[in-house]
Amino acid sequence: MSTSPKVIPFESSVPKPGTPRDFIADHVHAIPRSGIRDFFEIVQSMGDVISLGIGEPDFVTPWRIREAAIYSLERGKTGYTSNLGLLKLRKEIASYVKRHYHVEYDGPTEVMVTIGVSEAIDLALRAILNPGDEVIYHEPCYVSYSPSIALAHGKAVPVATRAEDGFRLLARDIAAKITPRTKALLLNFPCNPTGAAMSRADLEPIAALCREHDLLVLTDEIYSELTYDQRPHTSIASLPGMRERTIFFHGFSKAFAMTGFRIGYACAPVALTEAMMKIHQYGILCAPITSQEAALEALRHGHDDMVSMRDQYCARRNFLVAGLNAAGLPCRTPEGAFYLFPDITGTGLTAHEFAVRLLQEEKVAVVPGTAFGESGTGHVRCSYATALDQIEIASERIGNFVRRLKKG
Ligand code: PLP
C-alpha cells in the first residue's frame, strides 16, 4: 500500500524499438493506485460494516449553505465566474483568513478559488516545480501528496514523524533532507492521518529553516477549524517573513461538511497566484458558481453550524480514544482533524493484516497506516467522522477483536 512513486527520468519516455506502445506516460505508470480506494471497494461490497475508514464528514452540509446554493440557481446564476472566482467570495476569504489566521491577502489579486484544496495543491506544485525539484513533506500524510509531486515532475522527499513526538514535525529532521534541489516544504497540520497539530513554538524553527534555505512553504490547513480543547491554531504563513514564501491552502470540505461542492482556495503573493492562475484558467476556467455562492454563505453565516459539528467531533474523539486505549491499542489524544492513529504493534499483526481481519471478523473498517506512507507502519487510521452510536459499537467490536488476538 506504499504511496511513494518513483521519479522517472525524462529521457526514459522514448519508447524502446520493438516495444508495443500503451500511450501512458512513464511518470503516470509509476504512480500506484490509492491503497485506500482498493480497500474500500471491498468494504462497500460487504454491507453491514461500520466504517471508521473514510475522511469525509458524516454530516450533511448545513441547510443554510445548501439553501444559498439552491437560491443562486433559482436566481439563474448558472454561468462562468472570473477565473479567480467571484470577487465577493475572494474578498470574504481574505477577510476570513485575516480574522482567523492573521495573514493579510489582497482579495482581488492574491486569492484564487479552486476545485477543492486538491486542485489548489496540484496547481501550486505545477506552478513551482522544474523537473527534479525536490519537495519535502512529513509522513504519514494525506495520500495525494507524493503522487501529486510526481505528477508535477518533482521528487517527493518524505520526512518521518513519530508517535513519541506526538507526530509533530521536527526542524532537525527537515534539515537532514535539504539538498540544493529542495524547493518547497509541504505541511498539513492538523494532520491527516495522525490528527497532530503544531504550535507556534513548533513552527518557529521550521520557519527559520525555510528562510535560511530560501524554501517555499505550501501549507494545507484544511482541518484548521477542527482543533479541539480551545487550542489556538497557528498558520506558518503568519510567522515573521513567511507570508512572502508561503502558499496557504484551505477549503470547505471538512469544517463545513461540503466535500461534494468541491470548493477550496489558495492564497499567495501576486506572482505565485498569477502563475497558478495560468494553469487554472486553461485547465479548469473557474470553480462552479453554485459552489462559490454556497461557500460565501458558509463564510458569512456558517460559523455556528461549524462549531456544533466540531463539538460533536470532539465528543466522538474523546470516546474513541478511551475505547482504543482500553482495548489495549495505545492511542494519543490528537489535537485536531477527525482521525486517530493508534499503535497496533502489540497485536502482532501488520497494519494491513489488522485492517483486513478486523473487517472480516468484526465488520469494522479502518485504514492501514501504511496507506499514508512507510512511516505509518504499525498503526491504523480510525476516522471519527461517523455517528457516536456507530463509534460506540465499533469500539466494542475492536475491544473484542483485540482480546481474542491477545488470548490466542
Ligand atoms: N488535504 C487533506 C489533508 C485532506 O485530508 C483532504 C481530503 O481528505 C484534502 C486535502 C482534499 O480536500 P478537498 O476536498 O478540498 O479537495
Side-chain angles (χ1 to χ4, degrees):
M1 282 210 175
S2 167
T3 52
S4 305
K6 288 192 291 269
V7 175
I8 301 293
F10 275 77
E11 310 79 66
S12 74
S13 61
V14 179
K16 291 195 181 72
T19 314
R21 292 187 98 169
D22 68 2
F23 302 107
I24 312 291
D26 295 346
H27 68 293
V28 176
H29 262 308
I31 291 172
R33 276 162 57 95
S34 162
I36 297 191
R37 174 159 299 198
D38 289 345
F39 193 69
F40 278 90
E41 271 165 22
I42 306 175
V43 172
Q44 270 165 6
S45 69
M46 284 180 62
D48 192 27
V49 171
I50 298 181
S51 181
L52 305 183
I54 39 173
E56 174 165 17
D58 58 314
F59 299 107
V60 176
T61 308
W63 170 241
R64 66 166 64 251
I65 300 174
R66 282 182 279 152
E67 200 175 33
I70 295 165
Y71 185 50
S72 80
L73 288 170
E74 279 178 355
R75 282 178 298 154
K77 298 201 168 188
T78 56
Y80 292 133
T81 68
S82 134
N83 293 132
L84 286 173
L86 293 168
L87 184 58
K88 60 183 178 181
L89 175 58
R90 284 182 278 141
K91 286 185 172 167
E92 197 67 45
I93 290 170
S95 118
Y96 185 85
V97 171
K98 184 176 172 194
R99 255 188 349 268
H100 292 275
Y101 304 91
H102 314 294
V103 197
E104 280 193 46
Y105 292 101
D106 177 47
T109 61
E110 297 184 315
V111 176
M112 181 166 64
V113 182
T114 57
I115 310 291
V117 169
S118 305
E119 191 219 349
I121 293 175
D122 179 54
L123 290 178
L125 291 168
R126 289 203 278 155
I128 64 162
L129 295 180
N130 291 314
D133 281 349
E134 296 174 10
V135 180
I136 296 176
Y137 62 100
H138 50 97
E139 222 201 49
C141 68
Y142 178 45
V143 291
S144 88
Y145 291 162
S146 171
S148 299
I149 295 165
L151 285 170
H153 302 295
K155 182 176 173 202
V157 181
V159 172
T161 57
R162 294 168 286 265
E164 57 267 32
D165 302 319
F167 290 109
R168 286 169 307 124
L169 178 60
L170 306 184
R172 63 161 188 268
D173 292 335
I174 302 172
K177 298 283 176 120
I178 294 176
T179 75
R181 292 306 305 264
T182 308
K183 192 147 206 188
L185 171 69
L186 172 52
L187 300 178
N188 167 229
F189 292 102
C191 175
N192 172 8
T194 63
M198 298 273 281
S199 66
R200 188 183 172 94
D202 294 329
L203 289 169
E204 269 164 356
I206 294 177
L209 202 61
C210 293
R211 290 190 299 266
E212 185 192 337
H213 293 271
D214 200 13
L215 304 183
L216 181 71
V217 176
L218 310 181
T219 179
D220 173 354
E221 303 191 19
I222 193 165
Y223 293 101
S224 48
E225 287 91 348
L226 303 180
T227 302
Y228 307 110
D229 308 319
Q230 267 99 54
R231 189 193 155 95
H233 171 82
T234 304
S235 174
I236 193 164
S238 69
L239 299 189
M242 293 308 292
R243 192 198 102 99
E244 296 313 311
R245 56 175 66 256
T246 300
I247 305 180
F248 172 90
F249 306 109
H250 200 359
F252 299 84
S253 289
K254 311 294 174 171
F256 295 103
M258 289 175 66
T259 47
F261 282 87
R262 307 305 307 122
I263 190 95
Y265 53 92
C267 303
V270 177
L272 287 163
T273 304
E274 274 292 309
M276 291 189 284
M277 218 275 283
K278 281 194 213 163
I279 308 170
H280 174 78
Q281 87 185 148
Y282 293 122
I284 300 287
L285 282 174
C286 65
I289 189 167
T290 317
S291 302
Q292 294 194 48
E293 292 283 353
L296 189 64
E297 177 66 16
L299 292 184
R300 286 188 176 158
H301 303 118
H303 181 76
D304 291 351
D305 291 312
M306 183 278 290
V307 169
S308 146
M309 291 187 275
R310 181 174 65 198
D311 289 348
Q312 292 179 68
Y313 289 132
C314 186
R316 297 166 180 187
R317 177 199 67 165
N318 295 345
F319 184 91
L320 193 55
V321 167
L324 292 173
N325 280 303
L329 302 179
C331 180
R332 58 184 294 276
T333 302
E335 297 81 9
F338 39 54
Y339 308 106
L340 305 183
F341 208 57
D343 181 341
I344 55 96
T345 47
T347 63
L349 301 178
T350 66
H352 189 259
E353 286 163 351
F354 183 96
V356 170
R357 284 190 53 186
L358 181 65
L359 182 62
Q360 287 168 342
E361 296 175 29
E362 294 288 343
K363 295 207 165 182
V364 174
V366 298
V367 183
T370 40
F372 308 97
E374 290 309 314
S375 45
T377 303
H379 293 264
V380 294
R381 187 189 77 174
C382 305
S383 160
Y384 48 92
T386 302
L388 187 57
D389 59 343
Q390 295 291 291
I391 289 176
E392 285 168 2
I393 303 170
S395 174
E396 202 178 307
R397 291 187 187 175
I398 293 171
N400 295 340
F401 176 65
V402 176
R403 267 190 299 280
R404 259 199 329 274
L405 284 175
K406 290 198 170 162
K407 260 195 220 147

